[in-house]
Amino acid sequence: SAVISQKPSRDICQRGTSLTIQCQVDSQVTMMFWYRQQPGQSLTLIATANQGSEATYESGFVIDKFPISRPNLTFSTLTVSNMSPEDSSIYLCSVEGLLGVPGNTIYFGEGSWLTVV
Amino acid sequence: LAKTTQPISMDSYEGQEVNITCSHNNIATNDYITWYQQFPSQGPRFIIQGYKTKVTNEVASLFIPADRKSSTLSLPRVSLSDTAVYYCLVGVAGGFKTIFGAGTRLFVKA
């Protein structure tokens, strides 16, 4: 299995500011994703983080609002820009495809809980 | 991507067997069925995955009929700590994004 560390785990942010969430995996993985989960709701996929190229965003999410980086096979960041209270949510990093390990189980980090005030 | 339909919530008592059924009528030939468990304020955790017939591990069993248009997650002898949201996911194994449905909120009572 993979160990996924997210930072910060929790933060309170001021309206209009931006925050970058980091996701570090203890193994090289082929796929990394970012999800958002609003209180009481299911997970919504924001984007697929592509190594060395621009992320692939889902409908309703844009790069200007959620810039994503993935410089290597073990690390990615998600920035939530110009935050508003509607961005208060849990942001989850997930990975799939551990290099050298058969199977395709998806693993999730513990999430980063953001509250925008 | 195949859409899934699950009951919104279920109640059970400690020691009972719980079966959660998921419908996925437009499942594709290459799709696998995967179940995840999520506790409050935690990321989802992999429970079990299968393609057809029956799969069993130390945590649960997964029953998939021949037409694969549905699947049933079976949790034997649940405890209070099994209270969580359970997600049924359908997708191609390896390298593709995963779309979550609404999930089933299981409440286990003493």
Side-chain angles (χ1 to χ4, degrees):
Chain A
S1 65
V3 176
I4 305 170
S5 301
Q6 281 189 236
K7 293 180 181 180
S9 58
R10 185 179 294 265
D11 207 344
I12 299 175
C13 308
Q14 295 295 319
R15 187 187 306 236
T17 63
S18 299
L19 182 77
T20 296
I21 302 167
Q22 298 180 357
C23 177
Q24 179 72 55
V25 192
D26 67 343
S27 306
Q28 291 185 323
V29 295
T30 55
M31 306 292 290
M32 296 184 75
F33 307 93
W34 286 98
Y35 287 83
R36 179 175 72 183
Q37 186 173 30
Q38 295 175 309
Q41 303 298 313
S42 182
L43 285 77
T44 300
L45 181 64
I46 297 173
T48 302
N50 300 309
Q51 187 203 356
S53 65
E54 189 173 292
T56 304
Y57 289 85
E58 297 301 305
S59 175
F61 297 96
V62 296
I63 187 172
D64 290 346
K65 177 66 176 178
F66 298 101
I68 289 171
S69 78
R70 188 180 173 194
N72 56 50
L73 294 177
T74 64
F75 185 78
S76 178
T77 67
L78 167 74
T79 298
V80 185
S81 303
N82 188 25
M83 286 185 284
S84 67
E86 292 71 33
D87 294 319
S88 297
S89 186
I90 300 174
Y91 293 86
L92 292 145
C93 171
S94 76
V95 305
E96 181 178 5
L98 276 63
L99 293 185
V101 177
N104 71 311
T105 301
I106 300 173
Y107 301 96
F108 286 84
E110 290 304 311
S112 299
W113 189 301
L114 303 186
T115 301
V116 184
V117 297
Chain B
L1 296 169
K3 181 180 177 181
T4 60
T5 303
Q6 304 173 232
I8 294 175
S9 66
M10 295 180 67
D11 289 345
S12 183
Y13 289 92
E14 282 189 294
Q16 289 187 333
E17 178 184 77
V18 171
N19 296 309
I20 306 174
T21 297
C22 177
S23 298
H24 27 80
N25 291 320
N26 59 339
I27 188 170
T29 301
N30 295 333
D31 285 344
Y32 280 72
I33 301 157
T34 312
W35 286 79
Y36 286 82
Q37 175 192 55
Q38 186 179 28
F39 298 112
S41 301
Q42 294 186 23
R45 182 175 72 98
F46 172 87
I47 300 175
I48 197 166
Q49 183 182 75
Y51 183 80
K52 61 181 179 181
T53 62
K54 176 183 176 182
V55 179
T56 298
N57 61 23
E58 65 278 6
V59 177
S61 294
L62 178 60
F63 298 92
I64 306 170
D67 66 5
R68 303 198 330 120
K69 293 184 182 300
S70 68
S71 60
T72 299
L73 174 72
S74 181
L75 304 172
R77 297 180 299 281
V78 295
S79 63
L80 296 176
S81 63
D82 292 316
T83 294
V85 178
Y86 292 82
Y87 293 98
C88 163
L89 303 170
V90 175
V92 176
F96 284 78
K97 60 188 180 184
T98 297
I99 304 298
F100 280 76
T104 298
R105 294 182 180 274
L106 173 65
F107 297 94
V108 180
K109 306 173 185 177

